[in-house]
Every structure is written in structure tokens, then in C-alpha cells.
Amino acid sequence: MALPIINSIASWVLKQRIHQIELFLKYPNEVQEELMINLLRLSEYTIIGKKYGFESIHSYATFQERIPISRYEDFEPLIERTRKGEQQVFWNEPIKWFAKSSGTTNAKSKFIPVSNSALEDCHYKGSKDLLCMYLNNNENSQLFTGKSLRLGGSKELYEDNNSFFGDLSAILIDNLPFWAEFSSTPSNKTSLMSEWETKILAIVNETKVENVTSFAGVPSWMLVLLNKILDETQSKSLFEVWPNLEVYFHGGVSFDPYREQYKKILPNSDFKYYEIYNASEGFFAIQDLNNSNDLLLMLDYGIFYEFIPMDVFGTNNEKAIRLSDVQLNKNYAIVITTNSGLWRYLIGDTVRFTSINPYRIRVTGRTKHHINVFGEELMVENTDMAIAKACHFTQTEVVDYTVAPVFMEGKEKGAHEWIIEFRKDPENIDAFTKILDDNIQMLNSDYEAKRYNNMTLNSLSINVARKNLFYDWLKKEDKLGGQHKIPRLSNSRDYLEQLLSLQNNNQI
């Protein structure tokens, strides 16, 4: 009897937050403006606050004029000073936690500051709001009668100069109250294991005997884990292992290429999928409706948002705009100012707004992960949706892919070259290629124009990757598990050439 009571109490507590959410839904721009001013007031006496005269900034126009947009490389010297123990550099409270992140764009690690305010009022608040919205939409949920299977990119935390750095999920787990572990599986000890291949076996053994009611993690890596659990238990469906499963909370990469594969191992139309958009820099958006692809932008997490239209990004006309000025269905690069002291920081993600009342978004890719060599402005959102459609039409399954340009040479036209690892190969690769190319043209008018009569671009070409090629590449780069993801699109051929070389050598 205890579990249903706990479920009822937890559900009631979490759903109380709905009233606060309704406030920023009703007054989004006012909430954001007030938040910007509060962040400025809190940081007036920091080194960066004195440098840009925060005390005299009282409007967005002055904020925009005085504080430059920064990338990690611009901010790194200030972060390094804080990592070495100096405080009051860019935020008014002591910062001792740094989320180590290399992303997909380079080998160099980034150390993203995480303040206590960000832990409580952003990351943990986002996790609670996710549950709040899910429970509000699903009155009969029995979520808390079982455990959540979490799969993070946890690594050991390393102490350095009285500051700590590690994967964000390790920092979050390390700061959770002791009782939180009771509602999750695997144990903190297993979650924090650093060696991926040992860790995944430990997770399988630990979780297969639990009563799991939900999953949380990146779709690509979660699929690896769930398939291992099916193999280990000799089950065809995950409901045979965990009959009370009801929802999968996912984020990190697009779900589109994996959706059909999840439906096969979770063959129940009542099973729910809820998407989130979070990163080391903050928790940004949450799916707030059942069966939706749109994410509600969360406006009261201590993050002030700005957006750079991608059609002027990187040009002399580049200019950020605030939330009240965004337009529907345009691609924007996100700029954030946070309660960890990141000021007008370009995080490298792109989004488009699907609604402005309330503000809902879809993540469309990365500022560095698109292809625009020939004016085609191809975004990850386009290729993820196209590959999902091609898989559906050909009854094919994809593990991973990446795309690079084939540059014009002499009289040769350009093209896009793909390398795709299939879980289930297409019967006819030429037919798959044509369906994929046709769908990209349907989804992207710029690509369609360049493909018209092969005027600028020839049809795309596909290299079929050997089994485990992408896994082997990530292992070689020491990026197995967790938040690490394959770079989908690039304006250079670097990633593609590395994968082709590994394919040809057939070695790690």
C-alpha cells in the first residue's frame, strides 16, 4: 500500500508548479525582461560587471549595446581564473562546479560553470517541471510506484584547485538529496562508473530485476542499453521485462531516426515519449503536451534568451534579437545569459519557433553542424526527418550517419556524401538513396533548388558503413556513452574521412 500513497503524494506536490508556469505563459516577455535586470543587479560587483558597467544598464538596448556576444574561446580566460579559485569573476556566488563537455565539434574540453543557483533553479527545477507536466497530462500515471532507469554520461568527478569538474550528470547525481536514489536505477555507484563497456553490463544486471516505470537518457545510447537488456533476458518486448513501463524522457539528439526502432521494442500505443532540451549550460525547454514534437521554452529558470537569425549568422549584419521579436519557422542561433554567469553566450544550437503564444520551439541543429557550401542551408532537422521517412518507406533501420560535401572540382558539380550504418540494410541501396534525396528536397527548398536538373548539386551518394563503425570511431575518440553524439553535418570532410579511413582499415 505504501507505493500508491507515495505516488499520489509525489504527483500532488509536483503538480503545484503548474500555477507558476501559467504566470510566464501569460507574461513571457515581462518575465524575461525582469530576469535580465535581476541577473545584472546580482552581478554588478563582479569583475565582468564592473568592466561593462552593469550598474547603469537598465534596458535591453543598453544590455545589447554594451555586452558583446561571446563564444567559449572568448569566455575561457575568465572561466580558468574561477577554476583556479578566484571568485566574483562573472557571477556573484562562489562557483566550484564545472561541467566538462567536449560536445561533437572538437577534442578540446570545455568547462562550463555551474552555480548553486543553476543547480537548484534551472537543472533540478527543469527535471521537476518535466514530471509536473507529464503528471498533469496523465492523471492516472503510476510513475512513482516504480523506478526511473537513468542513463547519463557520468564520469568520475576530479578535484582540481578546490574546484570540481566532470560530466554534468555526475555533478547532478553528486548533489542530489540522499533519498532521490531510491526512485532511480541503477545505483549512484554504477551511474558514476567511468568505463562505458563495463558500466553498461553493470546497468543491465542491476536494472533487469527492478520495477522500472520510466527511462531517461539520450536515444542513441539508450537504444544500445535496451537492446542489451532484451538479449540478456531473451525477451522480444521490454514490457516482458518491465510490465509497468509508461514513459521515456529523452533528449540530446533527435528522436526521429530512432522512433520506429523504439516502437518495435515498446509495442504499446499507450506508451508515452516526452522530449527535453537541456545541456551543460542549462535546461531550456520541455515537451508540455502528450504526443507532441514541440518544446515549451521555460522562461523562469534564470536564463535570459536572445536569438540570431541564421540567415545573417556569421555575417557583418549579425545581430541578436530578444524573445518578443522572433518569428515563426525561422532558424535562429541561441544566445543565453545565465545564473551561472555566462553573459550573452553562444551555445552553438539552432532552433525554430513553432508557436509564439506560448513560445514553443524545435531544435534544428548546431551552428557548426549544417552544410551550406553551395547555398543549400541544410540543417540536421532536415536530414533526421528525411532519413526517418526513407527508413519507414524501405523498412530499414539506421544506427548512425554523417554527411559531408563533395566539393566542386573543374567541371564537376558538388554533391553530398553520406556514410550510414544500418541495423537492417535496405534491399536496394539505390532506391533508398533516391527516396532519401527526394525527401530532403521536399523538406528543404534551398537544397531542392540546387538539385533542380542537377544544376549545382548532383544526387547524394551513400557509403554503407560496416557494423559498429560509429561505435568504434567514438571508442577511438574516447567518447563512448552519455552525452556524446555523432556530428551529423559538416561543411568540411574531416569526420567523413576519419570514418572512411577506419572503415577501410577495419581496425580501432
Side-chain angles (χ1 to χ4, degrees), residues 37-137:
I37 296 298
N38 286 343
L39 293 171
L40 287 164
R41 297 290 80 83
L42 287 168
S43 301
E44 287 180 5
Y45 301 108
T46 61
I47 289 168
I48 201 168
K50 292 172 183 175
K51 179 179 180 180
Y52 295 115
F54 283 6
E55 80 286 344
S56 59
I57 299 178
H58 300 285
S59 68
Y60 175 67
T62 311
F63 175 86
Q64 185 182 45
E65 177 186 297
R66 204 176 289 179
I67 307 169
I69 289 173
S70 63
R71 290 162 172 78
Y72 184 79
E73 293 71 23
D74 306 317
F75 222 79
E76 186 177 26
L78 296 178
I79 289 173
E80 284 305 301
R81 287 170 66 174
T82 305
R83 284 189 66 213
K84 290 174 182 174
E86 190 175 352
Q87 297 297 342
Q88 294 287 319
V89 177
F90 44 78
W91 188 238
N92 73 318
E93 60 186 271
I95 292 179
K96 64 175 184 175
W97 298 102
F98 295 85
K100 186 179 179 183
S101 168
S102 59
T104 52
T105 53
N106 55 49
K108 186 178 179 183
S109 293
K110 297 177 181 179
F111 295 91
I112 306 300
V114 181
S115 68
N116 286 333
S117 292
L119 278 174
E120 292 299 330
D121 300 332
C122 183
H123 292 291
Y124 291 144
K125 191 174 183 179
S127 298
K128 286 184 279 190
D129 281 356
L130 170 64
L131 296 173
C132 166
M133 290 181 190
Y134 174 75
L135 293 167
N136 196 60
N137 293 333

Side-chain angles (χ1 to χ4, degrees), residues 294-357:
D294 300 337
L295 307 180
L296 181 69
L297 194 63
M298 305 304 287
L299 303 178
D300 64 348
Y301 285 5
I303 300 173
F304 178 72
Y305 292 98
E306 296 174 90
F307 304 89
I308 303 174
M310 282 302 288
D311 54 6
V312 297
F313 181 82
T315 71
N316 291 332
N317 297 322
E318 176 179 298
K319 186 182 179 183
I321 58 173
R322 58 184 160 179
L323 186 63
S324 57
D325 295 325
V326 299
Q327 297 174 24
L328 285 175
N329 295 314
K330 281 190 71 170
N331 274 310
Y332 294 98
I334 304 182
V335 178
I336 57 172
T337 295
T338 76
N339 52 3
S340 281
L342 295 175
W343 294 92
R344 304 198 79 204
Y345 181 84
L346 193 68
I347 62 172
D349 288 343
T350 59
V351 300
R352 64 182 174 88
F353 284 84
T354 58
S355 163
I356 52 175
N357 185 24

